[in-house]
Amino acid sequence: MKTRHTHTKLPRGAKCTRCREQAVVALPSHHANFCEDCFRFFFRRSVQRAMKKFPVDPRETILVAVSGGKDSLAVWAVLQDLGWKTKGIHVDLGIEGFSEASAEVIDAFARQRGLRWERYALQETFGYTIPEIQKRTRRKICSVCGTLKRQILNRLTFQQGCRVVATGHNLDDEAGRLLGNLVRNRREYIEKQYPYLPSTHPRLPVKIKPLYRVSADEIRIFCRLEGIPFLAQSCPLSRGATSHTFQEALQFLEQKMPGTKRDFLFSYLESKEPPKPVEDFGTCDQCGQPCYGTRCSVCNLLNQLKEKDAARLQASGGREG
């Protein structure tokens, strides 16, 4: 069951914390109320504070991974507003109906703001769509999809001649991920969790999460105030994802004790140093991309899928189309 995100309706006469005009947005986690203009200021300043923590050269073009959802479009919009040079990149997962709708929303947004973006089909870059992979593997498809998107984005960023890629991960995403890793004692993931990850190989980009200071609700409000239409539909293959469960658990606590998510995530981030580049990468002997060991996870998966297809074709006597 999903935890509902609720918004407090402010009475007439409620004052904006910043300018003392009529407030329309209540943010209990900040003990603040804002008018529309001051909420926009608060939101952009939150992203600006995040960007100041990332050692990214202002002359860099940031490649923004866009899905058509609220988070990726909001981060693209704010980076543009703050004066950063950006380019959108979208990986089409080949999910019937959903992928087409995602691309349409991205195209409309980019046209309205005069932004550049490119669309890459997973079918063309990897050889299989996500639904095809789901039919051929017993692994959890969200985990497989996440790995593929990260690897494909790494390669596309390098091909685009860019060094920095931004994703739309927000406060809820990062807090939920941290909780999940702590519950499962995934120390290797806990150590690497940070909104800025330096490049650890000439073919790996710097990764940043400019929205880690703002919540999903705050992003929805920003998109509404800015008139940003986004794809509200969730991926039809993501039902039952455990990451959602951890986010719902934190949201339950947030409703009882506003500010819980921020305190939980920020106390962890403030207790550790930003990660430093490490030199523990090898090179995949199949595709030449950086990896741990001698074969990357993308090539391992691709080989497994091809082997299954070959076995299936052999069992059918070569009759499959």
Short mmCIF file of all heavy atoms in Angstrom, two decimals, residues 144-192:
data_model
loop_
_atom_site.label_atom_id
_atom_site.label_comp_id
_atom_site.label_asym_id
_atom_site.label_seq_id
_atom_site.Cartn_x
_atom_site.Cartn_y
_atom_site.Cartn_z
N VAL A 144 18.20 -4.99 -13.00
CA VAL A 144 18.82 -5.12 -14.32
C VAL A 144 18.74 -3.79 -15.08
O VAL A 144 19.73 -3.33 -15.66
CB VAL A 144 18.14 -6.24 -15.13
CG1 VAL A 144 18.67 -6.26 -16.56
CG2 VAL A 144 18.36 -7.59 -14.46
N CYS A 145 17.56 -3.18 -15.05
CA CYS A 145 17.35 -1.92 -15.77
C CYS A 145 18.26 -0.82 -15.22
O CYS A 145 18.87 -0.07 -15.98
CB CYS A 145 15.88 -1.50 -15.65
SG CYS A 145 15.46 -0.01 -16.57
N GLY A 146 18.37 -0.74 -13.89
CA GLY A 146 19.23 0.27 -13.28
C GLY A 146 20.68 0.11 -13.69
O GLY A 146 21.36 1.10 -14.01
N THR A 147 21.15 -1.13 -13.68
CA THR A 147 22.53 -1.40 -14.09
C THR A 147 22.76 -1.01 -15.54
O THR A 147 23.75 -0.36 -15.88
CB THR A 147 22.87 -2.89 -13.89
OG1 THR A 147 22.75 -3.22 -12.51
CG2 THR A 147 24.28 -3.20 -14.37
N LEU A 148 21.83 -1.41 -16.41
CA LEU A 148 21.96 -1.10 -17.83
C LEU A 148 21.95 0.41 -18.08
O LEU A 148 22.78 0.92 -18.84
CB LEU A 148 20.83 -1.75 -18.62
CG LEU A 148 21.05 -3.20 -19.06
CD1 LEU A 148 19.80 -3.74 -19.73
CD2 LEU A 148 22.24 -3.30 -20.01
N LYS A 149 21.03 1.11 -17.45
CA LYS A 149 20.95 2.56 -17.67
C LYS A 149 22.23 3.25 -17.22
O LYS A 149 22.73 4.15 -17.92
CB LYS A 149 19.73 3.13 -16.94
CG LYS A 149 18.40 2.85 -17.64
CD LYS A 149 17.27 3.66 -17.07
CE LYS A 149 16.93 3.28 -15.66
NZ LYS A 149 15.71 3.96 -15.17
N ARG A 150 22.77 2.84 -16.08
CA ARG A 150 24.02 3.45 -15.61
C ARG A 150 25.15 3.21 -16.59
O ARG A 150 25.90 4.13 -16.95
CB ARG A 150 24.39 2.90 -14.23
CG ARG A 150 23.57 3.47 -13.08
CD ARG A 150 24.18 3.08 -11.74
NE ARG A 150 24.19 1.64 -11.53
CZ ARG A 150 23.19 0.96 -10.99
NH1 ARG A 150 22.08 1.59 -10.63
NH2 ARG A 150 23.27 -0.35 -10.81
N GLN A 151 25.27 1.97 -17.04
CA GLN A 151 26.36 1.63 -17.96
C GLN A 151 26.19 2.32 -19.31
O GLN A 151 27.16 2.83 -19.89
CB GLN A 151 26.41 0.10 -18.15
CG GLN A 151 26.73 -0.68 -16.90
CD GLN A 151 28.23 -0.81 -16.68
OE1 GLN A 151 29.03 -0.16 -17.34
NE2 GLN A 151 28.62 -1.67 -15.75
N ILE A 152 24.97 2.31 -19.83
CA ILE A 152 24.72 2.95 -21.13
C ILE A 152 24.96 4.46 -21.03
O ILE A 152 25.54 5.07 -21.94
CB ILE A 152 23.28 2.66 -21.61
CG1 ILE A 152 23.08 1.15 -21.84
CG2 ILE A 152 22.97 3.45 -22.88
CD1 ILE A 152 23.95 0.55 -22.91
N LEU A 153 24.52 5.08 -19.93
CA LEU A 153 24.75 6.52 -19.75
C LEU A 153 26.24 6.83 -19.68
O LEU A 153 26.69 7.85 -20.21
CB LEU A 153 24.04 7.01 -18.48
CG LEU A 153 22.55 7.28 -18.60
CD1 LEU A 153 21.95 7.58 -17.22
CD2 LEU A 153 22.27 8.44 -19.55
N ASN A 154 27.00 5.96 -19.01
CA ASN A 154 28.46 6.17 -18.97
C ASN A 154 29.03 6.21 -20.38
O ASN A 154 29.82 7.10 -20.73
CB ASN A 154 29.12 5.02 -18.19
CG ASN A 154 28.86 5.09 -16.70
OD1 ASN A 154 28.44 6.12 -16.19
ND2 ASN A 154 29.11 4.00 -16.01
N ARG A 155 28.60 5.27 -21.20
CA ARG A 155 29.14 5.18 -22.55
C ARG A 155 28.68 6.34 -23.43
O ARG A 155 29.46 6.90 -24.19
CB ARG A 155 28.73 3.84 -23.18
CG ARG A 155 29.22 2.64 -22.39
CD ARG A 155 28.79 1.32 -22.98
NE ARG A 155 29.15 0.23 -22.07
CZ ARG A 155 29.24 -1.04 -22.44
NH1 ARG A 155 29.00 -1.39 -23.69
NH2 ARG A 155 29.57 -1.97 -21.56
N LEU A 156 27.42 6.70 -23.29
CA LEU A 156 26.88 7.79 -24.10
C LEU A 156 27.49 9.13 -23.70
O LEU A 156 27.73 9.99 -24.56
CB LEU A 156 25.36 7.84 -23.98
CG LEU A 156 24.60 6.64 -24.59
CD1 LEU A 156 23.10 6.78 -24.33
CD2 LEU A 156 24.87 6.53 -26.09
N THR A 157 27.73 9.32 -22.41
CA THR A 157 28.36 10.56 -21.95
C THR A 157 29.73 10.72 -22.58
O THR A 157 30.11 11.79 -23.07
CB THR A 157 28.48 10.58 -20.42
OG1 THR A 157 27.19 10.38 -19.83
CG2 THR A 157 29.04 11.91 -19.93
N PHE A 158 30.48 9.63 -22.60
CA PHE A 158 31.81 9.64 -23.22
C PHE A 158 31.70 9.92 -24.72
O PHE A 158 32.46 10.72 -25.27
CB PHE A 158 32.49 8.30 -22.96
CG PHE A 158 33.86 8.18 -23.58
CD1 PHE A 158 34.96 8.82 -23.02
CD2 PHE A 158 34.05 7.44 -24.73
CE1 PHE A 158 36.21 8.71 -23.59
CE2 PHE A 158 35.30 7.32 -25.31
CZ PHE A 158 36.39 7.97 -24.74
N GLN A 159 30.73 9.28 -25.38
CA GLN A 159 30.55 9.49 -26.82
C GLN A 159 30.16 10.92 -27.14
O GLN A 159 30.52 11.46 -28.19
CB GLN A 159 29.47 8.54 -27.35
CG GLN A 159 29.89 7.07 -27.38
CD GLN A 159 28.75 6.16 -27.80
OE1 GLN A 159 27.76 6.61 -28.39
NE2 GLN A 159 28.88 4.87 -27.52
N GLN A 160 29.42 11.56 -26.22
CA GLN A 160 28.98 12.94 -26.45
C GLN A 160 30.10 13.96 -26.18
O GLN A 160 29.91 15.15 -26.38
CB GLN A 160 27.79 13.25 -25.54
CG GLN A 160 26.51 12.49 -25.88
CD GLN A 160 25.83 13.07 -27.09
OE1 GLN A 160 25.91 14.26 -27.37
NE2 GLN A 160 25.15 12.22 -27.85
N GLY A 161 31.23 13.48 -25.70
CA GLY A 161 32.33 14.38 -25.39
C GLY A 161 32.12 15.16 -24.11
O GLY A 161 32.73 16.23 -23.91
N CYS A 162 31.25 14.65 -23.22
CA CYS A 162 30.98 15.31 -21.95
C CYS A 162 31.67 14.57 -20.81
O CYS A 162 32.02 13.40 -20.93
CB CYS A 162 29.47 15.37 -21.69
SG CYS A 162 28.55 16.36 -22.89
N ARG A 163 31.83 15.28 -19.68
CA ARG A 163 32.51 14.68 -18.53
C ARG A 163 31.61 14.59 -17.31
O ARG A 163 31.99 13.95 -16.31
CB ARG A 163 33.74 15.52 -18.17
CG ARG A 163 34.83 15.55 -19.22
CD ARG A 163 36.02 16.38 -18.78
NE ARG A 163 36.60 15.91 -17.53
CZ ARG A 163 36.41 16.48 -16.34
NH1 ARG A 163 35.65 17.54 -16.23
NH2 ARG A 163 36.99 15.99 -15.26
N VAL A 164 30.45 15.23 -17.34
CA VAL A 164 29.58 15.26 -16.17
C VAL A 164 28.16 14.86 -16.56
O VAL A 164 27.61 15.37 -17.55
CB VAL A 164 29.54 16.68 -15.55
CG1 VAL A 164 28.68 16.69 -14.28
CG2 VAL A 164 30.94 17.17 -15.25
N VAL A 165 27.57 13.95 -15.79
CA VAL A 165 26.18 13.55 -16.02
C VAL A 165 25.38 13.79 -14.75
O VAL A 165 25.82 13.47 -13.64
CB VAL A 165 26.07 12.06 -16.46
CG1 VAL A 165 26.62 11.12 -15.41
CG2 VAL A 165 24.63 11.70 -16.81
N ALA A 166 24.21 14.42 -14.91
CA ALA A 166 23.33 14.72 -13.78
C ALA A 166 22.08 13.85 -13.85
O ALA A 166 21.52 13.65 -14.93
CB ALA A 166 22.93 16.19 -13.78
N THR A 167 21.67 13.34 -12.71
CA THR A 167 20.43 12.56 -12.63
C THR A 167 19.46 13.26 -11.68
O THR A 167 19.85 14.13 -10.90
CB THR A 167 20.69 11.12 -12.14
OG1 THR A 167 21.32 11.18 -10.85
CG2 THR A 167 21.59 10.39 -13.12
N GLY A 168 18.20 12.86 -11.73
CA GLY A 168 17.16 13.53 -10.94
C GLY A 168 16.88 12.90 -9.59
O GLY A 168 15.81 13.13 -9.04
N HIS A 169 17.82 12.15 -9.04
CA HIS A 169 17.60 11.54 -7.72
C HIS A 169 17.36 12.63 -6.68
O HIS A 169 18.13 13.57 -6.57
CB HIS A 169 18.80 10.69 -7.32
CG HIS A 169 18.99 9.49 -8.19
ND1 HIS A 169 19.75 9.51 -9.34
CD2 HIS A 169 18.51 8.22 -8.07
CE1 HIS A 169 19.73 8.31 -9.90
NE2 HIS A 169 18.99 7.50 -9.15
N ASN A 170 16.29 12.46 -5.90
CA ASN A 170 15.92 13.47 -4.92
C ASN A 170 16.14 12.99 -3.49
O ASN A 170 16.67 11.90 -3.25
CB ASN A 170 14.46 13.91 -5.14
CG ASN A 170 13.49 12.74 -5.03
OD1 ASN A 170 13.58 11.92 -4.11
ND2 ASN A 170 12.56 12.64 -5.96
N LEU A 171 15.71 13.81 -2.53
CA LEU A 171 15.88 13.50 -1.11
C LEU A 171 15.24 12.16 -0.75
O LEU A 171 15.83 11.34 -0.03
CB LEU A 171 15.28 14.63 -0.27
CG LEU A 171 15.21 14.42 1.24
CD1 LEU A 171 16.59 14.32 1.84
CD2 LEU A 171 14.43 15.55 1.89
N ASP A 172 14.02 11.92 -1.25
CA ASP A 172 13.33 10.67 -0.96
C ASP A 172 14.09 9.47 -1.50
O ASP A 172 14.21 8.43 -0.83
CB ASP A 172 11.92 10.70 -1.57
CG ASP A 172 11.05 11.80 -0.99
OD1 ASP A 172 11.40 12.98 -1.18
OD2 ASP A 172 10.04 11.49 -0.36
N ASP A 173 14.58 9.59 -2.73
CA ASP A 173 15.35 8.50 -3.36
C ASP A 173 16.58 8.16 -2.54
O ASP A 173 16.86 6.99 -2.24
CB ASP A 173 15.79 8.89 -4.77
CG ASP A 173 14.64 9.13 -5.72
OD1 ASP A 173 13.62 8.44 -5.60
OD2 ASP A 173 14.77 10.03 -6.57
N GLU A 174 17.34 9.20 -2.16
CA GLU A 174 18.60 8.98 -1.48
C GLU A 174 18.40 8.48 -0.05
O GLU A 174 19.14 7.61 0.42
CB GLU A 174 19.42 10.28 -1.48
CG GLU A 174 19.88 10.70 -2.86
CD GLU A 174 20.71 9.63 -3.54
OE1 GLU A 174 21.87 9.45 -3.14
OE2 GLU A 174 20.19 8.96 -4.46
N ALA A 175 17.39 9.01 0.64
CA ALA A 175 17.11 8.55 2.00
C ALA A 175 16.61 7.11 1.98
O ALA A 175 17.00 6.28 2.81
CB ALA A 175 16.10 9.46 2.67
N GLY A 176 15.74 6.79 1.02
CA GLY A 176 15.24 5.42 0.90
C GLY A 176 16.34 4.44 0.55
O GLY A 176 16.38 3.32 1.08
N ARG A 177 17.23 4.86 -0.32
CA ARG A 177 18.36 4.00 -0.68
C ARG A 177 19.27 3.75 0.51
O ARG A 177 19.73 2.63 0.74
CB ARG A 177 19.13 4.65 -1.82
CG ARG A 177 20.35 3.85 -2.30
CD ARG A 177 21.11 4.64 -3.34
NE ARG A 177 22.39 4.01 -3.66
CZ ARG A 177 23.43 4.65 -4.15
NH1 ARG A 177 23.35 5.96 -4.37
NH2 ARG A 177 24.55 4.03 -4.41
N LEU A 178 19.54 4.81 1.27
CA LEU A 178 20.39 4.66 2.45
C LEU A 178 19.77 3.71 3.47
O LEU A 178 20.45 2.84 4.02
CB LEU A 178 20.63 6.04 3.09
CG LEU A 178 21.46 6.05 4.37
CD1 LEU A 178 22.86 5.47 4.12
CD2 LEU A 178 21.56 7.48 4.93
N LEU A 179 18.47 3.86 3.70
CA LEU A 179 17.78 2.97 4.64
C LEU A 179 17.86 1.53 4.18
O LEU A 179 18.16 0.62 4.97
CB LEU A 179 16.32 3.40 4.79
CG LEU A 179 15.46 2.53 5.73
CD1 LEU A 179 16.04 2.53 7.15
CD2 LEU A 179 14.01 3.01 5.73
N GLY A 180 17.62 1.29 2.90
CA GLY A 180 17.69 -0.06 2.36
C GLY A 180 19.07 -0.68 2.51
O GLY A 180 19.20 -1.85 2.87
N ASN A 181 20.09 0.12 2.24
CA ASN A 181 21.46 -0.39 2.35
C ASN A 181 21.84 -0.68 3.81
O ASN A 181 22.55 -1.64 4.10
CB ASN A 181 22.45 0.60 1.74
CG ASN A 181 22.39 0.63 0.23
OD1 ASN A 181 21.99 -0.35 -0.40
ND2 ASN A 181 22.75 1.74 -0.37
N LEU A 182 21.35 0.17 4.73
CA LEU A 182 21.64 -0.06 6.15
C LEU A 182 20.92 -1.31 6.66
O LEU A 182 21.51 -2.12 7.38
CB LEU A 182 21.21 1.16 6.97
CG LEU A 182 22.09 2.41 6.83
CD1 LEU A 182 21.42 3.60 7.51
CD2 LEU A 182 23.46 2.16 7.44
N VAL A 183 19.66 -1.48 6.28
CA VAL A 183 18.89 -2.64 6.71
C VAL A 183 19.55 -3.93 6.23
O VAL A 183 19.62 -4.93 6.95
CB VAL A 183 17.43 -2.55 6.21
CG1 VAL A 183 16.70 -3.88 6.38
CG2 VAL A 183 16.68 -1.44 6.94
N ARG A 184 20.05 -3.91 5.00
CA ARG A 184 20.67 -5.10 4.42
C ARG A 184 22.18 -5.18 4.66
O ARG A 184 22.84 -6.09 4.18
CB ARG A 184 20.39 -5.13 2.91
CG ARG A 184 18.91 -5.30 2.59
CD ARG A 184 18.72 -5.59 1.12
NE ARG A 184 17.36 -5.96 0.81
CZ ARG A 184 16.46 -5.16 0.28
NH1 ARG A 184 16.78 -3.90 0.02
NH2 ARG A 184 15.23 -5.58 0.01
N ASN A 185 22.71 -4.18 5.37
CA ASN A 185 24.13 -4.13 5.70
C ASN A 185 25.02 -4.23 4.44
O ASN A 185 26.02 -4.93 4.41
CB ASN A 185 24.50 -5.26 6.67
CG ASN A 185 25.86 -5.02 7.32
OD1 ASN A 185 26.27 -3.88 7.52
ND2 ASN A 185 26.56 -6.10 7.64
N ARG A 186 24.63 -3.48 3.41
CA ARG A 186 25.41 -3.45 2.17
C ARG A 186 26.50 -2.39 2.29
O ARG A 186 26.40 -1.28 1.78
CB ARG A 186 24.49 -3.14 0.99
CG ARG A 186 23.49 -4.25 0.70
CD ARG A 186 22.53 -3.83 -0.38
NE ARG A 186 21.71 -4.93 -0.84
CZ ARG A 186 20.66 -4.78 -1.67
NH1 ARG A 186 20.34 -3.57 -2.09
NH2 ARG A 186 19.96 -5.83 -2.05
N ARG A 187 27.58 -2.76 2.96
CA ARG A 187 28.62 -1.80 3.28
C ARG A 187 29.28 -1.19 2.04
O ARG A 187 29.63 -0.01 2.03
CB ARG A 187 29.69 -2.47 4.16
CG ARG A 187 29.17 -2.89 5.52
CD ARG A 187 30.24 -3.53 6.38
NE ARG A 187 29.70 -3.94 7.66
CZ ARG A 187 29.61 -3.15 8.72
NH1 ARG A 187 30.03 -1.90 8.63
NH2 ARG A 187 29.12 -3.60 9.85
N GLU A 188 29.44 -2.01 0.99
CA GLU A 188 30.11 -1.50 -0.20
C GLU A 188 29.28 -0.40 -0.88
O GLU A 188 29.82 0.54 -1.46
CB GLU A 188 30.40 -2.63 -1.20
CG GLU A 188 29.19 -3.26 -1.85
CD GLU A 188 28.52 -4.34 -1.01
OE1 GLU A 188 28.80 -4.40 0.21
OE2 GLU A 188 27.73 -5.12 -1.56
N TYR A 189 27.93 -0.52 -0.77
CA TYR A 189 27.06 0.51 -1.34
C TYR A 189 26.96 1.72 -0.42
O TYR A 189 26.87 2.86 -0.88
CB TYR A 189 25.68 -0.05 -1.61
CG TYR A 189 25.65 -1.13 -2.67
CD1 TYR A 189 25.26 -2.43 -2.36
CD2 TYR A 189 26.02 -0.85 -3.98
CE1 TYR A 189 25.25 -3.43 -3.33
CE2 TYR A 189 26.01 -1.84 -4.96
CZ TYR A 189 25.62 -3.12 -4.61
OH TYR A 189 25.61 -4.10 -5.57
N ILE A 190 26.94 1.47 0.89
CA ILE A 190 26.84 2.56 1.85
C ILE A 190 28.04 3.50 1.71
O ILE A 190 27.90 4.72 1.71
CB ILE A 190 26.76 2.01 3.29
CG1 ILE A 190 25.46 1.23 3.48
CG2 ILE A 190 26.84 3.16 4.31
CD1 ILE A 190 25.38 0.49 4.80
N GLU A 191 29.22 2.92 1.57
CA GLU A 191 30.43 3.73 1.47
C GLU A 191 30.43 4.61 0.22
O GLU A 191 31.01 5.70 0.22
CB GLU A 191 31.66 2.82 1.47
CG GLU A 191 31.97 2.19 2.81
CD GLU A 191 32.23 3.23 3.89
OE1 GLU A 191 32.96 4.21 3.60
OE2 GLU A 191 31.70 3.09 5.00
N LYS A 192 29.80 4.13 -0.84
CA LYS A 192 29.83 4.86 -2.11
C LYS A 192 28.67 5.83 -2.27
O LYS A 192 28.63 6.58 -3.24
CB LYS A 192 29.81 3.87 -3.29
CG LYS A 192 31.07 3.03 -3.40
CD LYS A 192 30.96 2.05 -4.55
CE LYS A 192 32.20 1.17 -4.67
NZ LYS A 192 32.07 0.17 -5.75
#
